[in-house]
Amino acid sequence: MANHKSSLKRIRQDKKKAEHNHYYAKTMRNAVRKLRAMTDKDEATKLYPTVQKMLDKLAKNNIIHKNKAANIKSSLCAHISQL
């Protein structure tokens, strides 16, 4: 266990940040899953900008990697175009 007050505080902060990041990453995964499950092209086209914005924000804040965000956006575009 940590012996310094600063290291105890760092542990608390890291735990809080990890929980925060996990929440937003899970929300993003659910949104992507919902979009991939859609079969109506109009609905998917309406939802795509929201998911794209979410991915860009998470990549900007280093919650997910920028290349992962780009790969997900690309695969979602391909899915929508196939509908």
Side-chain angles (χ1 to χ4, degrees):
M1 190 61 195
N3 293 322
H4 300 283
K5 285 179 97 175
S6 61
S7 57
L8 292 171
K9 181 178 179 181
R10 175 59 56 198
I11 290 169
R12 286 195 311 267
Q13 288 176 333
D14 288 345
K15 186 176 178 184
K16 188 174 181 181
K17 283 180 188 174
E19 190 176 328
H20 178 266
N21 291 345
H22 179 74
Y23 169 77
Y24 283 104
K26 184 70 174 175
T27 304
M28 178 269 303
R29 283 196 301 271
N30 287 338
V32 169
R33 200 174 293 130
K34 182 180 176 185
L35 187 64
R36 284 195 177 126
M38 286 187 173
T39 55
D40 185 28
K41 187 169 187 168
D42 293 332
E43 287 183 35
T45 307
K46 286 180 187 174
L47 183 63
Y48 179 71
T50 308
V51 175
Q52 182 181 12
K53 185 177 179 182
M54 189 183 302
L55 287 165
D56 288 337
K57 281 185 176 182
L58 292 177
K60 184 180 85 172
N61 294 326
N62 292 322
I63 295 173
I64 61 171
H65 197 272
K66 63 176 184 165
N67 291 350
K68 179 176 180 159
N71 287 336
I72 292 172
K73 288 191 292 186
S74 175
S75 69
L76 290 175
C77 277
H79 172 71
I80 291 172
S81 66
Q82 287 178 351
L83 292 177

